[in-house]
Amino acid sequence: AMENARLITETREALEQQTATAEVLGVINSSPGDLAPVFDAILAKAHSLCGVASGTFLLYDGEFFRVAAVRGLPEALAESIGQPFRLSPGSPQERLARGERFVHAPTTAFADTRIGRAVVDAGFNVLLMLPLRRDDALLGYITAVRREARPFSDKQIALLESFAAQAVIAMENARLLGELRERTAELGRSVEELKLLSEVGQAVSSTLDLRSVLSTVLTRSVAMTGADAGAVFRHRRADRAFHLVEAVGWSKALLQSVRDLRVPESESAMGEAAAKRLPIQLADVSRRSSYPMRDATLAAGFRAALIVPLVGPERVLGALILMRRAAGEFPPETVRLMQTLASQSVLAIQNARLFRELAEKSEELELASQHKSQFLANMSHELRTPLNAILGYAELLVDGIYGEMPEKPKGVLERIQNNGRHLLALINDVLDLAKIEAGQLTLSLEDYSVPELVRSVVTATEPLAAAKGLKFAALLPDEMPTAHGDARRISQVLLNLVGNAIKFTDAGEVEIGAAVADGHFTLTVRDTGPGIAEADRERIFGEFQQIDNSNTRRQGGTGLGLAISKRMVEMQGGTIAVESALGEGSTFRVTLPVHVEERMEAAA
């Protein structure tokens, strides 16, 4: 019967211990990261199952022991151990730090220490201290004391050790959860910072309104960093001082007092930050006697400031300032963020300045181009007047109006006429280009026949081809629709292309072709001349451009014909291109709408 009673008692105790362990685990699961309820539950179970009169949890940070939880201690003893204390030689805490499994002894064994004496005076006789360890590092300990002189049993010590292990689990969970929350908070801040930087970067790249960009920087950075206000100042080299540009979170009184304030670079924190090219923290504005804005800032209730300089490659541009009502320095992550925002602000300021300079230069260039075009147009008219007189009188002399001319002077007069006509052609080219650039060349739209236009070009240029012994042909479809456009300009383009083809072709043939498809007609001029290198195919359509070879130089010209032709074709909504290779001839292709719209003329 006695054996049965003993077995029943042991079974009941084992079940109570398992239940207590499970209950503590339940508390750990239900309060992740919160150690207080876990410690309270362990001390409660230690009291009921192990006869612990009083118990404490103390945590150790490597320097100080601090009480984390207390149960059943008299007020005087609780007050005695309530103050943080260090590890002392010969103390039970030192024995735990050396790696002992636990300390179990009469309280009188430690009566020579301050806390030990207080435990004895409180009437406790037995002390049990169990360490809280993680990877051999002492995290703290559990203290269990009782008034009876009877020591703790092995089962009770084992149960209390299991509670200590559970406490370590709870502490580790709390540590990991704390780190997770910290990392999550850091990640959240990083995401917000990236969003802010992206927003500012988008503002920098999408607008040249400097005030809008700086306002975005200020508003978002103040909200992001938890500051109470912010401002941006620009630096003016003329008076070597800083002047307010934009402010967020400022009162009307502060704005009025600072709006017209000149902050000298030699006497201000902004000047100091710009000189060092580094941020400056003013943890307490009241301690800086030389700060020009000191009185106005303090009157507005701001005590701390972070000043980040805006410095470009060549000069100081200004400063970004964050302000806070509480004294103290801003966190390092805030300083880093503001340095990045300062870099973006510098980029925005430089973009705005460069755009302003570019706009001014563009206006100057446009005005100069208009003056040049006007000058060329006027000069071309002025040059044509005396040249026409020279050609007219030369023709009268050749015709014998002023008497019969000897053969030798007559030959000279013919050379004068040939060179004069060549000069007139060059002047006309320059005049056409000048009119196009000055916007004075207008289209005269009318209905016309493409075959008739091609035949008139053939009639005008056929003698030139015959003189060089070239085969010359026009391949036209049987029927072509009536076209609508500026026939005279198209004829001028075609004459230029055919003239070039004949001029540069020494043997073989020149052929004009025409076709219609999809509301457009295409004119082609093909020759068997020397061809054009790939590198020159785009260049030849530029103004005053010629292929630099002996044949070109020998034939002469202004290099304006193709440039003028391209402009005239594009004015009518068409395109001009060339297909060629060296030694294989060339084919110029002009594509134009069958019906040129009035808007084409307006666009020109």
Side-chain angles (χ1 to χ4, degrees):
M2 291 179 61
E3 181 65 22
N4 287 341
R6 184 180 64 80
L7 290 174
I8 291 171
T9 300
E10 289 180 353
T11 302
R12 188 184 68 252
E13 289 176 350
L15 182 60
E16 287 175 345
Q17 291 175 7
Q18 290 177 359
T19 302
T21 302
E23 288 176 359
V24 171
L25 286 174
V27 173
I28 292 174
N29 289 330
S30 63
S31 57
D34 188 359
L35 295 175
V38 176
F39 291 165
D40 288 342
I42 289 174
L43 291 177
K45 296 301 176 185
H47 176 78
S48 63
L49 297 179
C50 302
V52 174
S54 298
T56 58
F57 263 93
L58 287 96
L59 299 181
Y60 183 50
D61 61 9
E63 184 177 3
F64 288 98
F65 289 94
R66 291 181 172 85
V67 174
V70 175
R71 184 181 179 88
L73 283 186
E75 186 176 340
L77 180 57
E79 194 174 311
S80 177
I81 68 170
Q83 298 300 318
F85 60 91
R86 285 188 169 89
L87 199 66
S88 58
S91 66
Q93 290 87 354
E94 185 193 36
R95 291 170 59 182
L96 294 180
R98 288 202 306 263
E100 289 192 25
R101 178 182 164 193
F102 55 82
V103 174
H104 184 204
T107 56
T108 53
F110 309 106
D112 57 341
T113 64
R114 180 181 63 84
I115 296 177
R117 182 74 260 168
V119 171
V120 172
D121 291 345
F124 294 106
N125 287 294
V126 177
L127 169 72
L128 175 64
M129 292 178 63
L130 299 146
L132 306 174
R133 285 196 177 91
R134 184 185 70 238
D135 299 332
D136 298 328
L138 184 65
L139 305 178
Y141 61 89
I142 302 175
T143 299
V145 291
R146 60 185 176 193
R147 301 182 187 281
E148 304 171 61
R150 180 171 53 89
F152 288 93
S153 68
D154 291 343
K155 287 184 178 180
Q156 290 173 334
I157 293 173
L159 178 59
L160 290 172
E161 282 185 316
S162 70
F163 286 157
Q166 288 181 308
V168 171
I169 292 172
M171 292 169 68
E172 183 68 3
N173 286 349
R175 183 182 68 84
L176 293 174
L177 185 60
E179 289 182 357
L180 177 61
R181 285 171 177 167
E182 186 178 341
R183 296 290 183 272
T184 302
E186 288 178 1
L187 181 60
R189 284 196 302 270
S190 297
V191 170
E192 286 300 313
E193 287 180 7
L194 288 173
K195 286 170 63 179
L196 169 58
L197 296 175
S198 174
E199 184 178 336
V200 173
Q202 186 176 1
V204 170
S205 60
S206 63
T207 179
L208 291 164
D209 183 354
L210 183 58
R211 190 170 291 274
S212 171
V213 175
L214 295 178
S215 179
T216 299
V217 170
L218 279 177
T219 304
R220 296 289 284 113
S221 61
V222 167
M224 181 76 192
T225 60
D228 297 308
V232 61
F233 285 75
R234 67 182 177 91
H235 178 262
R236 200 161 62 189
R237 284 191 291 188
D239 60 357
R240 303 185 69 82
F242 294 88
H243 301 264
L244 180 66
V245 174
E246 191 82 12
V248 171
W250 282 22
S251 63
K252 288 184 178 179
L254 182 57
L255 274 173
Q256 288 173 356
S257 61
V258 177
R259 182 180 289 117
D260 300 321
L261 181 63
R262 175 183 174 275
V263 185
E265 63 179 37
S266 59
E267 303 172 12
S268 66
M270 283 186 275
E272 184 181 340
K276 293 179 178 178
R277 292 177 172 256
L278 290 172
I280 285 183
Q281 296 253 27
L282 300 180
D284 192 340
V285 174
S286 64
R287 296 181 181 177
R288 188 178 180 91
S289 58
S290 64
Y291 190 43
M293 288 168 46
R294 174 183 178 275
D295 294 338
T297 301
L298 290 173
F302 298 113
R303 290 286 301 279
L306 169 65
I307 301 169
V308 184
L310 303 176
V311 184
E314 301 172 355
R315 55 165 293 192
V316 177
L317 301 174
L320 270 175
I321 300 178
L322 285 186
M323 306 172 80
R324 200 169 52 194
R325 300 188 183 280
E329 292 193 346
F330 287 79
E333 57 268 21
T334 296
V335 178
R336 288 193 296 271
L337 174 63
M338 294 307 296
Q339 284 179 294
T340 304
L341 289 172
S343 299
Q344 290 185 302
S345 300
V346 167
L347 183 60
I349 293 170
Q350 290 176 326
N351 284 352
R353 179 170 57 84
L354 290 173
F355 179 77
R356 186 172 61 251
E357 291 177 358
L358 181 61
E360 290 172 357
K361 294 295 183 186
S362 296
E363 284 185 18
E364 292 174 5
L365 288 173
E366 184 177 356
L367 186 59
S369 178
Q370 289 177 352
H371 288 165
K372 179 210 69 174
S373 298
Q374 192 64 50
F375 171 77
L376 286 175
N378 292 338
M379 283 304 299
S380 298
H381 279 295
E382 295 300 325
L383 290 171
R384 285 202 304 181
T385 301
L387 184 56
N388 280 325
I390 292 170
L391 289 173
Y393 283 118
E395 187 174 353
L396 292 175
L397 287 171
V398 170
D399 290 344
I401 300 298
Y402 299 105
E404 190 65 30
M405 294 286 296
E407 286 301 318
K408 194 169 185 180
K410 188 180 291 187
V412 172
L413 285 173
E414 288 177 354
R415 284 197 293 275
I416 290 174
Q417 283 183 301
N418 290 335
N419 283 285
R421 281 191 289 268
H422 182 59
L423 180 57
L424 184 60
L426 300 182
I427 291 172
N428 285 335
D429 282 349
V430 172
L431 179 60
D432 280 344
L433 181 65
K435 283 183 176 180
I436 292 172
E437 290 188 342
Q440 297 174 354
L441 188 68
T442 58
L443 298 178
S444 178
L445 303 181
E446 60 183 351
D447 291 340
Y448 66 94
S449 166
V450 175
E452 287 183 10
L453 183 145
V454 171
R455 281 193 284 269
S456 67
V457 170
V458 170
T459 301
T461 55
E462 196 168 26
L464 299 175
K468 296 186 70 173
L470 300 175
K471 182 181 177 184
F472 189 38
L475 301 179
L476 301 173
D478 294 336
E479 292 185 6
M480 291 190 75
T482 299
H484 183 78
D486 193 327
R488 187 169 69 86
R489 300 300 180 190
I490 297 170
S491 175
Q492 186 177 343
V493 170
L494 199 53
L495 282 169
N496 179 267
L497 295 177
V498 174
N500 281 347
I502 294 171
K503 181 165 63 174
F504 292 109
T505 302
D506 293 328
E509 63 179 340
V510 173
E511 180 184 276
I512 305 175
V516 178
D518 301 325
H520 289 73
F521 67 85
T522 301
L523 299 173
T524 56
V525 176
R526 184 181 63 82
D527 64 58
T528 56
I532 303 168
E534 183 177 356
D536 294 321
R537 286 179 208 156
E538 289 298 325
R539 189 169 63 86
I540 59 174
F541 291 104
E543 297 163 10
F544 303 103
Q545 296 292 326
Q546 292 177 317
I547 302 173
D548 193 11
N549 59 40
S550 57
N551 186 41
T552 302
R553 295 301 176 200
R554 186 175 67 248
Q555 300 294 348
T558 60
L560 290 174
L562 289 177
I564 293 170
S565 297
K566 185 173 187 294
R567 299 282 190 93
M568 289 180 173
V569 168
E570 290 174 348
M571 283 176 70
Q572 300 186 65
T575 60
I576 184 169
V578 62
E579 300 165 9
S580 183
L582 282 176
E584 297 181 10
S586 304
T587 300
F588 284 83
R589 193 178 306 277
V590 175
T591 301
L592 286 160
V594 173
H595 293 280
V596 175
E597 303 286 345
E598 291 291 339
R599 61 182 177 83
M600 298 292 185
E601 182 179 359

